[in-house]
Short mmCIF file of all heavy atoms in Angstrom, two decimals:
data_model
loop_
_atom_site.label_atom_id
_atom_site.label_comp_id
_atom_site.label_asym_id
_atom_site.label_seq_id
_atom_site.Cartn_x
_atom_site.Cartn_y
_atom_site.Cartn_z
N ALA A 2 22.39 63.45 -30.21
CA ALA A 2 22.57 62.03 -30.52
C ALA A 2 22.21 61.74 -31.96
O ALA A 2 21.48 62.49 -32.61
CB ALA A 2 21.68 61.20 -29.59
N VAL A 5 17.67 57.67 -34.49
CA VAL A 5 17.32 56.26 -34.39
C VAL A 5 15.84 56.13 -34.73
O VAL A 5 15.02 56.95 -34.31
CB VAL A 5 17.57 55.71 -32.97
CG1 VAL A 5 17.11 54.26 -32.84
CG2 VAL A 5 19.04 55.84 -32.60
N VAL A 22 15.55 48.31 -35.93
CA VAL A 22 16.02 49.57 -35.39
C VAL A 22 17.09 50.09 -36.33
O VAL A 22 18.09 49.42 -36.58
CB VAL A 22 16.58 49.41 -33.96
CG1 VAL A 22 17.08 50.75 -33.43
CG2 VAL A 22 15.52 48.82 -33.04
N PRO A 27 27.72 57.39 -37.72
CA PRO A 27 28.47 58.54 -37.21
C PRO A 27 28.87 59.43 -38.39
O PRO A 27 29.02 58.95 -39.52
CB PRO A 27 29.71 57.91 -36.56
CG PRO A 27 29.35 56.48 -36.34
CD PRO A 27 28.34 56.12 -37.39
N TRP A 34 30.90 57.21 -46.68
CA TRP A 34 29.93 56.49 -47.50
C TRP A 34 29.45 57.38 -48.65
O TRP A 34 29.43 56.97 -49.81
CB TRP A 34 28.74 56.03 -46.65
CG TRP A 34 27.79 55.15 -47.41
CD1 TRP A 34 27.79 53.79 -47.43
CD2 TRP A 34 26.73 55.57 -48.28
NE1 TRP A 34 26.78 53.34 -48.25
CE2 TRP A 34 26.13 54.41 -48.79
CE3 TRP A 34 26.24 56.81 -48.67
CZ2 TRP A 34 25.05 54.45 -49.68
CZ3 TRP A 34 25.17 56.85 -49.56
CH2 TRP A 34 24.58 55.69 -50.05
N ALA A 35 29.05 58.59 -48.32
CA ALA A 35 28.53 59.51 -49.33
C ALA A 35 29.59 59.84 -50.38
O ALA A 35 29.28 59.92 -51.57
CB ALA A 35 28.02 60.78 -48.67
N ASN A 44 31.68 57.98 -61.75
CA ASN A 44 32.37 57.02 -62.60
C ASN A 44 31.40 56.22 -63.47
O ASN A 44 31.81 55.63 -64.47
CB ASN A 44 33.24 56.07 -61.76
CG ASN A 44 34.45 56.77 -61.19
OD1 ASN A 44 34.94 57.73 -61.75
ND2 ASN A 44 34.91 56.30 -60.04
N ALA A 56 28.27 68.12 -50.39
CA ALA A 56 27.03 67.99 -49.64
C ALA A 56 26.81 66.63 -49.00
O ALA A 56 25.79 66.42 -48.36
CB ALA A 56 25.85 68.32 -50.56
N PHE A 58 25.59 63.20 -47.82
CA PHE A 58 24.33 62.49 -48.04
C PHE A 58 23.30 63.38 -48.73
O PHE A 58 22.48 62.89 -49.50
CB PHE A 58 23.76 61.98 -46.71
CG PHE A 58 24.25 60.61 -46.34
CD1 PHE A 58 25.15 60.45 -45.31
CD2 PHE A 58 23.82 59.49 -47.02
CE1 PHE A 58 25.60 59.19 -44.95
CE2 PHE A 58 24.27 58.23 -46.68
CZ PHE A 58 25.17 58.08 -45.64
N ALA A 63 20.10 64.72 -53.75
CA ALA A 63 19.88 65.60 -54.90
C ALA A 63 20.06 64.85 -56.22
O ALA A 63 19.33 65.07 -57.18
CB ALA A 63 20.84 66.79 -54.84
N LEU A 69 22.52 55.27 -58.68
CA LEU A 69 23.35 54.12 -58.35
C LEU A 69 23.06 52.94 -59.26
O LEU A 69 23.86 52.02 -59.35
CB LEU A 69 23.16 53.73 -56.88
CG LEU A 69 23.84 54.62 -55.85
CD1 LEU A 69 23.49 54.19 -54.43
CD2 LEU A 69 25.34 54.64 -56.04
N GLY A 70 21.94 52.98 -59.96
CA GLY A 70 21.61 51.92 -60.91
C GLY A 70 22.59 51.84 -62.07
O GLY A 70 22.67 50.81 -62.73
N ARG A 71 23.31 52.89 -62.32
CA ARG A 71 24.31 52.88 -63.39
C ARG A 71 25.67 52.40 -62.92
O ARG A 71 26.60 52.30 -63.70
CB ARG A 71 24.48 54.28 -63.97
CG ARG A 71 23.32 54.70 -64.82
CD ARG A 71 23.73 55.93 -65.58
NE ARG A 71 22.80 56.20 -66.65
CZ ARG A 71 22.91 57.24 -67.44
NH1 ARG A 71 23.90 58.09 -67.27
NH2 ARG A 71 22.03 57.44 -68.39
N ASP A 78 27.41 47.09 -54.36
CA ASP A 78 27.11 46.15 -53.29
C ASP A 78 27.74 46.53 -51.94
O ASP A 78 27.04 46.52 -50.92
CB ASP A 78 27.51 44.73 -53.68
CG ASP A 78 27.00 43.72 -52.67
OD1 ASP A 78 25.77 43.68 -52.43
OD2 ASP A 78 27.84 42.99 -52.09
N VAL A 88 21.33 48.63 -39.41
CA VAL A 88 20.07 47.98 -39.05
C VAL A 88 20.31 46.91 -37.98
O VAL A 88 21.20 46.08 -38.11
CB VAL A 88 19.42 47.33 -40.29
CG1 VAL A 88 18.11 46.64 -39.92
CG2 VAL A 88 19.20 48.35 -41.39
N GLU A 110 12.40 38.11 -46.53
CA GLU A 110 11.89 38.61 -47.81
C GLU A 110 12.90 39.56 -48.43
O GLU A 110 13.40 40.46 -47.74
CB GLU A 110 10.56 39.35 -47.62
CG GLU A 110 9.43 38.54 -47.02
CD GLU A 110 8.79 37.57 -48.01
OE1 GLU A 110 9.12 37.61 -49.21
OE2 GLU A 110 7.95 36.77 -47.57
N THR A 113 12.07 43.23 -48.07
CA THR A 113 12.39 43.85 -46.79
C THR A 113 13.78 44.47 -46.81
O THR A 113 13.99 45.57 -46.28
CB THR A 113 12.28 42.82 -45.64
OG1 THR A 113 10.93 42.30 -45.62
CG2 THR A 113 12.61 43.43 -44.29
N PHE A 129 15.75 67.96 -42.57
CA PHE A 129 14.86 69.03 -42.14
C PHE A 129 13.59 68.56 -41.47
O PHE A 129 12.85 69.36 -40.94
CB PHE A 129 14.53 69.92 -43.33
CG PHE A 129 15.77 70.49 -43.95
CD1 PHE A 129 16.19 70.07 -45.19
CD2 PHE A 129 16.54 71.43 -43.27
CE1 PHE A 129 17.35 70.58 -45.76
CE2 PHE A 129 17.70 71.94 -43.82
CZ PHE A 129 18.11 71.52 -45.07
N THR A 130 13.31 67.28 -41.52
CA THR A 130 12.12 66.76 -40.84
C THR A 130 12.54 65.53 -40.05
O THR A 130 13.51 64.88 -40.38
CB THR A 130 11.03 66.35 -41.85
OG1 THR A 130 11.55 65.34 -42.71
CG2 THR A 130 10.54 67.52 -42.67
N ALA A 132 12.88 61.78 -38.87
CA ALA A 132 12.82 60.52 -39.63
C ALA A 132 11.45 59.89 -39.40
O ALA A 132 10.91 59.91 -38.30
CB ALA A 132 13.91 59.58 -39.17
N PRO A 134 8.93 56.41 -40.85
CA PRO A 134 8.82 55.23 -41.70
C PRO A 134 7.78 55.46 -42.80
O PRO A 134 6.88 56.28 -42.65
CB PRO A 134 8.37 54.14 -40.75
CG PRO A 134 7.72 54.85 -39.62
CD PRO A 134 8.39 56.19 -39.52
N ILE A 140 6.55 53.69 -33.66
CA ILE A 140 6.25 52.71 -32.62
C ILE A 140 6.56 53.36 -31.28
O ILE A 140 7.66 53.87 -31.08
CB ILE A 140 7.10 51.44 -32.82
CG1 ILE A 140 6.78 50.81 -34.17
CG2 ILE A 140 6.88 50.46 -31.68
CD1 ILE A 140 7.70 49.71 -34.56
#
Side-chain angles (χ1 to χ4, degrees):
V5 176
V22 179
W34 187 95
N44 289 332
F58 271 108
L69 284 176
R71 287 193 166 178
D78 189 57
V88 180
E110 300 284 353
T113 300
F129 302 110
T130 60
I140 299 170

